[in-house]
Amino acid sequence: MSSTFAPAETLRRHRPLLLAMEAIGWFHMAGKARVEFLRRHGGENNGYEERRWHQLETPPFPWDDLLEWVRRLYGDSIPDDAWPDTFAAFTKKHAERDRGLLGLLQAGHGIVSGVEKNLPKSTSVYLNQSIPHMWLSSPWGHPKRNLLADPPEILSPQGWRQLVEDIRRVLEELRDLGTKRVQDVALWQRWRESAIGEGSFIRRAFLSTLAETRLPNNDVTLWDQSYVAAALFKSAVAGALLTTKNSNENSKYPWTDNGIKQKTRWRLLTVALGTEHYEARAVKIGDWTGAQGAIEEFFRRVAELIEVDLAVGSLLYRDGSVAVFSFPGERFDESVPASWLNGWERWLQAQVIKVARHLGLETPPHLHLSNPTRSLVPMVREQQKAKHTVSIPIHRRWSITRRQEQNGHVCPVCQVRLNGDPTSKSKPCKVCRERRHHRRDAWLQGQLGNDTVWFEEVADRNGRLALLTFSLDLEDWLNGERVDSLRAQAIPEWVRFNPALDGTPNPIDPLKAYESFVTYTRSKLGSFNRNDPVFKSLQEGYQHESNWPSFFSKIVDDRADAPSWSDLNDDQRAAWLAHQLFRKLPSPGRVYRFWREAEAFFHDLLREFRQLAARSDNPWRVRRLVLVPKDEDDKDWEDLALYNGRWREGPLSLVYVRSLKGFVTISNLARLLRPEEGPKTLQGAQITLEEEDAPGGRRGMTVDKVYELRRPHAHLGVYHPVIPVEISPLRFRVLVPLETAPKCVDLAVAWWRERFARVWDRLPLRVGVVAFPRSVSFQGVLEGVRNLEDALQQNGEEKWTVEEVLPGPGAVSLLLKREDGRSTLRVVPTSLPDGREDVFYPYVAVEDQIRYPRDFRHPEGQVYRHVADLRLGDPIRVAPARVATLFMGSTAERFDLPAPRYLEDWVRMREVWALLRRVAPSQTSLQHLRSELARAEAAWSAPDGDLAAPREAWRAHLEALIATHLEAKGKTLAALAEAALDGTLQWALDWHMTALKEGV
């Protein structure tokens, strides 16, 4: 992309330097990827030094030899005293305090690691994990893997050798590109993708092991730390170059400033596109998936511009409509003029607009540079502002390129271009036609794996599908709000393991831990003593500070959306310091892990959904055939066109593939062929076909030959009856056969309960199920899904009351009364895999005062309590997990939204149906019961919908109906009557009998 913008050209001239700095950031902690690192921190005295891993190789890894070309080529751009003595210093000294390039790496490394890691070893030994229990956990406390008992590939000798060889290859390729002054951006992009792309061994290896072994910081992988540190280092160096090369004041970057680590800041570059606009106008699924392809290409090109062409930043967050990149920012003391920033936002906006126009997008993109920051806490705010801006399709002047088609009707998809055909209102324009058929090309070439792209193949034996939508309430974790409930240390535990500090008794009272610590902090704010034993024991950097405002800025301002020191009184300052020194912090590495882990959860579900959907006692469920017509010399069949017909009284859809000289079946063949039948069953079949895009013209076709697909088209022979519609950290949508949908939801609920058990009250899973026959238009289905998602988002937090606390081995069972008056059970793990009590994750927000030693208060007043300390009557605040189901027999029903239910009610509904299947005498008896229940509800309801009779009388009537029709008695009758009282029985009957067409 050509440009005369001088700052951009400066970065392009220094592209090899900036990408080399990024590579140093990726690998500066590579020594932690050895098993010796974990074993040493687990208690083994093996003498391993991860910062000198390159020297321990035999022969030593040639770190300096592979990077010396950078200094040789760019010595004129960066002063001599800004370079470290050797490039090996980047691995040896990345956590210290230096100047120059090394100081910038230390700035990125320090801000990513998070100040809660800077604990003096003398007071944090008790947080260590041991060799038998060296666990990698999720960012929400779920143990994922015991790394030494069940080591990943990287911790084997072979894995380490492959990692070293991959690092060598990456650096050698970097040297070749850099020394040859390669200008082709595509080659640089290919190099970067091969180094750290989704399929690279380096990325996979770093994701599977720890950057920090102490509790509870064993939640951030080596990849999270290394990648984000590299992104910030790269942006910091880019900012230094721009300051020196493009400042109007001809200022020089203060490379020799010893405070460079503390003074470096960054900005966030946000790019957004109104994705919802394209989804809302999709007539067929191909319109939406095709538009998604164009949107993905837009973000790919933008990422290439930022990450490789300019090499000014790296991707820090991405969902379906927003991408956030690191970008240089002004120094903290603003001693360096920021004139180099002038014009950047306007120029970048012009570049992303060019990309959007080239791809024929109908809406303009949005770009914004944030204020300078030292954290990712403002990222959600930037994301939300961007999404609000692009929610208006044309938020700035935007002309649509008409291309060749200048006549005809307005395109029914984009609604802005003409379709070139005055005779058809349903024909899309050229751009939308290309998008719609793009996925057919990808399917034919095997680019989609084994997932189908055809509704007809997803449809179950009843011709029905379900669009499932899942979301985790993630945004408040990304902005740090819900991280408030997590502990980096529990104050009583810290006191217990540190009874003396610097030879004097610990002054904090463990029985009144939080209040005692706040009081102590308040008493010390009158003067700053860098040798204070309490603060020195909690934060390694404290003894390097000179005043409270400076310390406050690093502990609070960098990691929280909090008032500044000057806006608070001493009581408030003490509360914020107490909060920040003991909470887990939303450090950039952890925030990056949050959204990556959420997205990984959805990817894991998708993998399992594929298997669930493919299970069948009829092997034809997941197989395709090629039907060769007798008139094979007839060339009138449209290549890759979809044709619909019927055979054996069932629907049969085919797509003509000219290269195969026949039609490929794209229907659920289990609806047409019995398990024991073979391909020859279709031979000689006479089928009348109608082209989907040209309805009205029917043609007959006689099948001459039938064969199964083999190489080179073997990838088309079998498929998973699943279509992923969208997958991002914030939302997962997928099409599955309706008969499979309940099992998919069951699995998602079970996994959520297991993986997010410690934060169930603050990270709810929201599930929507829209079931529909194949004949219902996709556009109507999407609108129904959007309406359902909106309904699931409407209800906020609730107040639940503790009815019973049942301690058990390693867990606490809580019986809670919900706002609807019903009781529900939650099982919360309270121990770590090594047997220690979990004092880091399982805290809930209570509406109460500080009562117990582990209680703590947010500076704005919210009290948090460990689940094991809950007592009868404690009111807790909960963000409930919810579910809603909708059966759309027609598009008109997209507005008939059911009220969302609690997610545990889905499990109960499934249990009620299982009970009905066991006790119901016949299908007819269930149908009669269902009809009688509907009539009774109408007769017993008041005009406002509420029950018009005493509850006990209503219950007695329900019991009579159930006993009459199902012959139920005793506990079974009581359970079914209880389910009927709250509508769960009726929901089970409607869902399983109407939507799923199930019987007993």
Side-chain angles (χ1 to χ4, degrees):
M1 190 178 296
S2 62
S3 171
T4 56
F5 185 55
E9 294 308 312
T10 295
L11 294 180
R12 285 173 173 140
R13 287 195 303 272
H14 292 84
R15 183 188 301 144
L17 167 66
L18 294 169
L19 292 177
M21 295 301 104
E22 185 179 28
I24 288 170
W26 298 333
F27 305 139
H28 77 283
M29 292 189 291
K32 292 185 176 183
R34 288 194 66 153
V35 69
E36 290 84 355
F37 167 74
L38 299 179
R39 297 188 72 87
R40 178 169 66 84
H41 284 277
E44 182 179 281
N45 186 19
N46 57 21
Y48 176 68
E49 297 182 61
E50 64 271 12
R51 297 186 187 183
R52 299 178 183 273
W53 68 266
H54 51 284
Q55 295 176 348
L56 302 178
E57 290 295 298
T58 49
F61 187 82
W63 187 264
D64 292 313
D65 294 345
L66 292 172
L67 290 166
E68 187 58 37
W69 63 271
V70 184
R71 189 202 302 262
R72 189 172 67 252
L73 290 181
Y74 294 99
D76 293 340
S77 299
I78 299 176
D80 286 342
D81 53 2
W83 296 91
D85 294 335
T86 66
F87 281 91
F90 286 113
T91 67
K92 295 177 183 177
K93 304 177 69 177
H94 57 257
E96 299 178 21
R97 291 169 179 257
D98 288 271
R99 57 189 184 179
L101 287 170
L102 189 50
L104 293 180
L105 174 63
Q106 291 163 351
H109 173 89
I111 208 72
V112 168
S113 298
V115 293
E116 76 271 30
K117 280 184 59 180
N118 298 334
L119 300 174
K121 292 182 180 179
S122 59
T123 58
S124 63
V125 172
Y126 77 99
L127 297 174
N128 288 346
Q129 297 189 90
S130 63
I131 286 176
H133 289 282
M134 185 62 67
W135 285 85
L136 166 66
S137 85
S138 81
W140 295 288
H142 175 65
K144 298 192 72 171
R145 189 170 194 165
N146 189 337
L147 296 177
L148 295 178
D150 176 26
E153 182 181 8
I154 183 58
L155 297 183
S156 68
Q158 299 82 0
W160 173 255
R161 291 303 332 151
Q162 182 175 346
L163 177 66
V164 171
E165 290 307 311
D166 270 24
I167 293 175
R168 181 192 299 271
R169 172 188 60 80
V170 168
L171 294 180
E172 287 176 346
E173 292 175 358
L174 172 68
R175 179 188 59 194
D176 293 343
L177 290 170
T179 54
K180 293 175 182 177
R181 307 274 187 165
V182 170
Q183 299 299 312
D184 188 346
V185 176
L187 293 178
W188 285 104
Q189 174 65 26
R190 196 176 307 155
W191 164 81
R192 191 174 183 274
E193 184 67 19
S194 72
I196 61 161
E198 293 287 345
S200 76
F201 179 78
I202 293 169
R203 181 192 186 101
R204 189 168 71 250
F206 283 10
L207 276 169
S208 66
T209 193
L210 288 170
E212 167 64 63
T213 62
R214 285 176 298 181
L215 302 172
N217 293 309
N218 60 324
D219 64 336
V220 179
T221 69
L222 183 55
W223 169 256
D224 304 314
Q225 291 261 8
S226 301
Y227 173 82
V228 182
L232 299 182
F233 180 37
K234 172 187 182 181
S235 292
V237 176
L241 290 172
L242 290 171
T243 300
T244 301
K245 300 290 184 180
N246 296 98
S247 175
N248 294 335
E249 293 82 2
N250 296 317
S251 64
K252 299 296 183 183
Y253 190 81
W255 290 104
T256 57
D257 185 349
N258 288 325
I260 197 170
K261 178 177 180 179
Q262 287 74 34
K263 295 175 182 176
T264 302
R265 292 190 298 179
W266 295 265
R267 288 176 179 250
L268 299 174
L269 171 62
T270 303
V271 180
L273 197 66
T275 305
E276 301 289 333
H277 166 83
Y278 298 86
E279 175 200 282
R281 284 155 180 75
V283 176
K284 298 182 177 181
I285 189 171
D287 300 325
W288 171 225
T289 56
Q292 276 183 313
I295 292 167
E296 286 297 316
E297 178 62 14
F298 167 78
F299 282 115
R300 188 198 69 77
R301 294 188 189 183
V302 170
E304 184 177 276
L305 170 68
I306 304 301
E307 296 181 319
V308 179
D309 185 9
L310 302 174
V312 70
S314 297
L315 184 69
L316 297 176
Y317 174 81
R318 171 72 207 282
D319 61 33
S321 56
V322 172
V324 181
F325 301 88
S326 60
F327 197 82
E330 305 92 319
R331 282 160 53 91
F332 184 77
D333 57 3
E334 298 186 347
S335 61
V336 180
S339 60
W340 59 267
L341 275 167
N342 294 337
W344 260 109
E345 192 169 40
R346 184 172 61 253
W347 182 82
L348 286 169
Q349 180 75 69
Q351 305 313 299
V352 300
I353 284 175
K354 285 181 183 178
V355 174
R357 289 198 181 282
H358 185 265
L359 293 170
L361 297 175
E362 295 90 63
T363 61
H366 169 74
L367 181 142
H368 179 66
L369 277 174
S370 75
N371 293 326
T373 179
R374 281 173 58 87
S375 76
L376 296 191
V377 170
M379 186 170 67
V380 170
R381 190 163 56 246
E382 293 295 309
Q383 173 210 89
Q384 290 172 338
K385 288 191 295 187
K387 286 186 176 180
H388 177 74
T389 299
V390 298
S391 64
I392 303 171
I394 307 297
H395 54 85
R396 63 164 54 85
R397 290 179 61 85
W398 189 253
S399 59
I400 306 300
T401 304
R402 298 287 182 182
R403 300 199 175 180
Q404 295 98 354
E405 296 169 330
Q406 300 297 327
N407 57 10
H409 294 280
V410 173
C411 172
V413 181
C414 67
Q415 300 178 12
V416 293
R417 286 179 286 260
L418 301 177
N419 66 5
D421 187 353
T423 66
S424 175
K425 292 184 178 180
S426 61
K427 181 179 178 181
C429 66
K430 186 174 185 297
V431 172
C432 292
R433 281 202 308 274
E434 289 174 353
R435 290 179 189 164
R436 178 181 288 183
H437 294 295
H438 175 74
R439 70 180 187 138
R440 296 189 186 183
D441 298 332
W443 166 75
L444 188 63
Q445 296 164 17
Q447 297 173 0
L448 303 178
N450 286 115
D451 289 340
T452 185
V453 298
W454 309 106
F455 266 38
E456 294 77 6
E457 288 185 328
V458 176
D460 66 13
R461 58 189 168 188
N462 296 311
R464 296 183 174 189
L465 306 86
L467 205 165
L468 309 180
T469 175
F470 303 90
S471 67
L472 292 165
D473 197 6
L474 192 66
E475 288 190 341
D476 284 341
W477 288 92
L478 298 177
N479 67 19
E481 182 176 322
R482 287 190 173 154
V483 190
D484 288 331
S485 62
L486 306 185
R487 301 274 81 187
Q489 296 188 83
I491 306 178
E493 287 281 297
W494 167 72
V495 175
R496 181 161 71 95
F497 285 98
N498 294 278
L501 301 172
D502 284 356
T504 61
N506 193 320
I508 307 304
D509 182 355
L511 298 180
K512 298 180 179 179
Y514 173 79
E515 294 167 321
S516 176
F517 187 84
V518 172
T519 301
Y520 179 87
T521 302
R522 173 68 177 81
S523 70
K524 299 296 180 178
L525 294 182
S527 62
F528 188 86
N529 175 16
R530 68 175 58 184
N531 292 315
D532 183 276
V534 170
F535 297 108
K536 191 172 67 172
S537 74
L538 288 172
Q539 226 290 316
E540 188 75 55
Y542 176 82
Q543 56 193 321
H544 300 289
E545 297 296 331
S546 58
N547 56 66
W548 281 113
S550 175
F551 183 64
F552 188 90
S553 72
K554 296 177 179 63
I555 299 301
V556 180
D557 293 347
D558 280 356
R559 295 294 197 277
D561 191 6
S564 62
W565 175 269
S566 60
D567 295 329
L568 301 170
N569 59 39
D570 278 353
D571 290 336
Q572 294 167 324
R573 291 163 181 163
W576 272 107
L577 285 167
H579 182 59
Q580 292 294 100
L581 284 168
F582 284 96
R583 78 184 280 220
K584 287 192 74 172
L585 301 175
S587 62
R590 182 164 290 121
V591 170
Y592 181 80
R593 180 89 196 281
F594 281 151
W595 73 267
R596 281 292 184 185
E597 186 76 9
E599 193 172 73
F601 175 68
F602 293 143
H603 277 289
D604 290 346
L605 283 178
L606 175 59
R607 185 180 63 249
E608 294 300 317
F609 289 177
R610 290 184 176 118
Q611 300 304 313
L612 289 172
R615 290 177 186 170
S616 174
D617 56 3
N618 189 329
W620 292 111
R621 177 64 183 97
V622 293
R623 292 164 64 186
R624 298 189 181 105
L625 296 170
V626 177
L627 312 184
V628 181
K630 280 189 175 180
D631 54 345
E632 63 183 48
D633 293 332
D634 188 347
K635 304 299 183 184
D636 290 343
W637 300 109
E638 185 73 24
D639 190 31
L640 292 183
L642 176 61
Y643 293 88
N644 294 312
R646 296 187 70 80
W647 183 68
R648 281 187 172 179
E649 302 304 318
L652 177 62
S653 295
L654 309 167
V655 61
Y656 186 74
V657 181
R658 183 160 294 142
S659 61
L660 297 176
K661 298 182 179 180
F663 294 88
V664 178
T665 60
I666 54 166
S667 288
N668 177 1
L669 291 180
R671 301 178 66 187
L672 303 171
L673 296 173
R674 292 186 293 274
E676 65 274 11
E677 290 184 313
K680 291 186 178 180
T681 307
L682 278 157
Q683 196 162 327
Q686 295 182 344
I687 306 170
T688 300
L689 297 176
E690 181 179 59
E691 186 179 350
E692 185 181 58
D693 290 337
R698 299 192 172 197
R699 300 179 55 191
M701 187 269 287
T702 302
V703 179
D704 183 35
K705 299 177 184 176
V706 183
Y707 65 89
E708 296 187 65
L709 286 149
R710 293 182 174 84
R711 291 185 178 180
H713 301 287
H715 60 275
L716 295 177
V718 294
Y719 65 92
H720 292 119
V722 162
I723 301 178
V725 178
E726 180 183 350
I727 186 163
S728 79
L730 301 182
R731 184 168 65 191
F732 171 38
R733 288 176 175 174
V734 60
L735 276 162
V736 299
L738 178 53
E739 63 189 5
T740 302
K743 294 179 181 177
C744 293
V745 175
D746 291 346
L747 179 69
V749 173
W751 278 14
W752 174 76
R753 283 180 164 180
E754 176 190 3
R755 298 188 184 189
F756 304 102
R758 287 168 166 84
V759 292
W760 65 272
D761 57 316
R762 306 180 298 289
L763 189 57
L765 177 69
R766 298 193 175 109
V767 182
V769 185
V770 175
F772 59 96
R774 173 64 187 93
S775 56
V776 176
S777 78
F778 179 70
Q779 195 170 37
V781 171
L782 266 184
E783 189 168 356
V785 169
R786 285 195 300 273
N787 292 338
L788 208 62
E789 289 171 342
D790 289 343
L792 287 166
Q793 297 288 343
Q794 291 304 312
N795 297 313
E797 290 188 344
E798 294 184 353
K799 184 174 72 174
W800 294 9
T801 305
V802 176
E803 292 186 308
E804 194 170 358
V805 181
L806 302 171
V812 166
S813 297
L814 300 176
L815 189 63
L816 304 166
K817 179 176 283 188
R818 306 184 308 211
E819 284 195 349
D820 66 350
R822 295 194 58 83
S823 298
T824 187
L825 184 68
R826 284 288 186 277
V827 179
V828 185
T830 56
S831 70
L832 302 170
D834 63 1
R836 284 186 279 180
E837 189 172 16
D838 182 356
V839 295
F840 309 108
Y841 294 95
Y843 292 86
V844 294
V846 295
E847 293 188 349
D848 198 0
Q849 301 300 313
I850 298 284
R851 295 184 185 277
Y852 304 106
R854 288 183 294 203
D855 285 5
F856 61 95
R857 182 186 293 111
H858 185 275
E860 294 176 356
Q862 178 63 62
V863 173
Y864 293 92
R865 182 164 296 159
H866 195 279
V867 293
D869 294 331
L870 290 172
R871 296 294 182 267
L872 178 66
D874 281 353
I876 68 174
R877 299 213 61 80
V878 174
R882 297 190 182 276
V883 63
T885 60
L886 172 66
F887 176 70
M888 288 178 54
S890 67
T891 54
E893 293 175 77
R894 66 191 185 276
F895 302 115
D896 298 337
L897 295 180
R901 298 171 180 263
Y902 295 106
L903 190 60
E904 54 264 31
D905 290 347
W906 166 271
V907 179
R908 184 160 170 261
M909 183 270 283
R910 297 277 285 153
E911 292 170 347
V912 167
W913 176 249
L915 179 59
L916 288 172
R917 294 191 66 176
R918 289 198 302 272
V919 304
S922 66
Q923 185 78 2
T924 303
S925 63
L926 280 183
Q927 291 170 343
H928 287 165
L929 174 61
R930 184 181 174 198
S931 299
E932 289 298 322
L933 286 173
R935 274 196 289 270
E937 285 180 358
W940 287 62
S941 295
D944 60 2
D946 290 336
L947 191 64
R951 183 179 176 83
E952 287 306 314
W954 173 235
R955 183 189 182 100
H957 184 69
L958 291 174
E959 287 182 346
L961 287 177
I962 295 169
T964 299
H965 292 284
L966 301 186
E967 302 175 7
K969 59 183 68 175
K971 292 182 179 179
T972 299
L973 177 60
L976 292 175
E978 185 67 24
L981 274 173
D982 61 18
T984 304
L985 175 62
Q986 295 85 329
W987 182 23
L989 291 169
D990 290 343
W991 180 247
H992 287 273
M993 296 179 68
T994 299
L996 293 170
K997 289 190 173 182
E998 287 187 12
V1000 296

